[in-house]
């Protein structure tokens, strides 16, 4: 249960659907502040520990809705926005940079950019570095997470190279996937990216965060990623500043498992209505 609560505090609660509206973003933001039912937290003596998700992640057009909803809820959870031609990365660079700047202007404190996979597949490494560097510049004071879309990079060697270049160009986090690819976050890709993070830390002294995203739907999935980070990068990475889980449906299963832990019973549909 302690590991599951840790997963909640490292979660970017995400809604990236074509039918997102102000009302369902408002609902998600309330859930971000109250991710686990209050009585369940009280039963574990965790009700006063400030258990919230790490951030909420939305499209640029919904950033203002999320900022306003979180402000109304009286919490300081940051809003993350996907930008930079998400999810394909195929827009012209100037369009991608403009989208990043707009998301920051709307109030996003974290930006999840996506790389142009064609630059990796054609070996244009210097061009990839320059594009990510310009995205970093466009983010200003906002934290930048760079999505590598690892399922479309062709090889684990390319994943390692893209990871290193993204970190060299100033990324605060490197992230596996958009969640829209056929293959999203996998443990082998996670090992490669974490070892790149470790190598980069050894060479520069800089700690870069890691975010798996896409297809992480169960509590068991979350625990696998937490254990992998613990083994590859160490306890110091197991905090929201250096580790995030990108998820839209994961919280539902985690809350069900905590309900089972506390009550000894499986939750019925009406037991967790906000999930």
């Amino acid at each position: 249960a302690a590991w599951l609560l840790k997963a909640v505090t490292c979660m970017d609660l995400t809604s990236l659907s074509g039918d997102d509206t102000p009302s369902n973003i408002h609902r998600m933001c309330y859930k971000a502040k109250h991710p686990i039912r209050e009585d369940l937290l009280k039963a574990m003596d965790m009700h006063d520990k400030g258990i919230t998700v790490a951030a909420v992640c939305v499209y640029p057009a919904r950033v203002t809705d999320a900022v306003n909803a979180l402000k109304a809820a009286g919490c300081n959870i940051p809003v993350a926005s996907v930008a930079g031609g998400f999810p394909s990365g195929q827009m012209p660079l100037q369009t991608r940079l403009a989208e990043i700047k707009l998301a920051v202007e709307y109030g996003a404190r974290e930006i999840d950019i996506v790389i142009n996979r064609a630059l990796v597949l054609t070996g244009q490494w210097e061009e990839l570095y320059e594009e990510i560097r310009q995205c970093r510049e466009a983010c200003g004071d906002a934290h930048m997470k760079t999505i590598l879309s690892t399922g479309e990079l062709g090889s684990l060697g390319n994943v390692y190279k893209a990871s290193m270049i993204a970190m060299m160009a100033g990324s605060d986090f490197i992230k596996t996937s958009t969640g829209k690819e056929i293959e999203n976050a996998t443990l082998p890709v996670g090992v490669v990216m974490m070892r790149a993070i470790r190598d980069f830390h050894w060479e520069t002294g800089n700690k870069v965060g890691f975010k798996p995203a896409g297809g992480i739907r169960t509590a068991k999935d979350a625990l696998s990623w937490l254990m992998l980070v613990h083994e590859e990068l160490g306890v110091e990475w197991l905090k929201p500043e250096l580790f995030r889980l990108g998820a839209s449906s994961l919280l539902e299963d985690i809350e069900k498992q905590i309900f089972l832990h506390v009550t000894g019973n499986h939750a019925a549909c009406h037991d967790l209505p906000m999930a």
Side-chain angles (χ1 to χ4, degrees):
W3 280 79
L4 291 177
L5 290 179
K6 169 62 75 173
V8 169
T9 64
C10 293
M11 188 182 300
D12 282 2
L13 192 58
T14 302
S15 186
L16 297 172
S17 302
D19 59 356
D20 281 342
T21 62
S23 61
N24 72 297
I25 297 301
H26 186 278
R27 181 184 176 92
M28 181 180 72
C29 289
Y30 184 86
K31 187 65 178 172
K33 185 183 180 183
H34 306 281
I36 306 296
R37 242 176 50 180
E38 189 74 10
D39 61 314
L40 299 178
L41 291 176
K42 283 182 178 178
M44 296 184 288
D45 195 27
M46 294 296 291
H47 59 286
D48 57 353
K49 302 298 191 293
I51 301 291
T52 70
V53 303
V56 296
C57 185
V58 295
Y59 278 117
R62 300 271 71 89
V63 168
T64 303
D65 296 328
V67 169
N68 291 339
L70 291 168
K71 188 180 294 184
C75 64
N76 194 38
I77 298 171
V79 174
S81 175
V82 294
F86 181 95
S88 69
Q90 291 284 5
M91 295 180 186
L93 179 60
Q94 293 309 311
T95 304
R96 284 183 271 151
L97 296 175
E99 186 181 35
I100 291 168
K101 291 174 183 176
L102 273 176
V104 173
E105 187 180 312
Y106 293 156
R109 288 154 57 189
E110 301 178 1
I111 301 294
D112 289 30
I113 70 160
V114 60
I115 67 168
N116 179 351
R117 278 77 98 190
L119 296 179
V120 174
L121 297 172
T122 55
Q124 299 181 69
W125 303 110
E126 291 182 11
E127 290 81 355
L128 178 65
Y129 171 87
E130 182 58 24
E131 285 200 358
I132 298 173
R133 186 197 66 77
Q134 289 188 49
C135 290
R136 168 68 268 177
E137 196 174 282
C139 286
D141 293 333
H143 276 226
M144 185 176 83
K145 308 189 198 90
T146 300
I147 306 170
L148 303 182
S149 296
T150 53
E152 297 179 349
L153 296 188
S155 70
L156 292 178
N158 281 345
V159 170
Y160 183 88
K161 291 177 185 177
S163 298
M164 292 299 288
I165 287 170
M167 292 185 285
M168 290 164 62
S171 303
D172 296 293
F173 270 74
I174 52 175
K175 176 178 170 182
T176 60
S177 322
T178 65
K180 308 292 186 182
E181 295 96 54
I182 294 173
E183 181 182 288
N184 292 295
T186 65
L187 295 177
V189 158
V191 170
V192 171
M193 292 175 68
M194 288 183 215
R195 290 186 180 175
I197 289 171
R198 195 167 65 192
D199 291 347
F200 188 76
H201 179 236
W202 284 344
E203 290 290 340
T204 68
N206 295 326
K207 294 178 181 177
V208 175
F210 173 69
K211 179 179 174 180
I216 304 172
R217 297 187 177 90
T218 68
K220 286 182 179 179
D221 292 336
L223 292 178
S224 295
W225 284 106
L226 284 166
M227 287 188 284
L228 189 60
V229 171
H230 181 275
E231 293 302 313
E232 289 292 331
L233 296 173
V235 176
E236 58 191 312
W237 254 265
L238 284 175
K239 55 187 179 181
E241 293 79 13
L242 289 170
F243 176 62
R244 298 288 180 85
L245 284 161
S248 55
S249 58
L250 171 64
L251 184 55
E252 179 179 358
D253 192 57
I254 287 180
E255 195 172 16
K256 285 179 179 177
Q257 300 308 316
I258 290 174
F259 184 95
L260 176 62
H261 170 77
V262 169
T263 68
N265 299 312
H266 291 282
C269 293
H270 60 270
D271 287 322
L272 304 171
M274 289 296 294

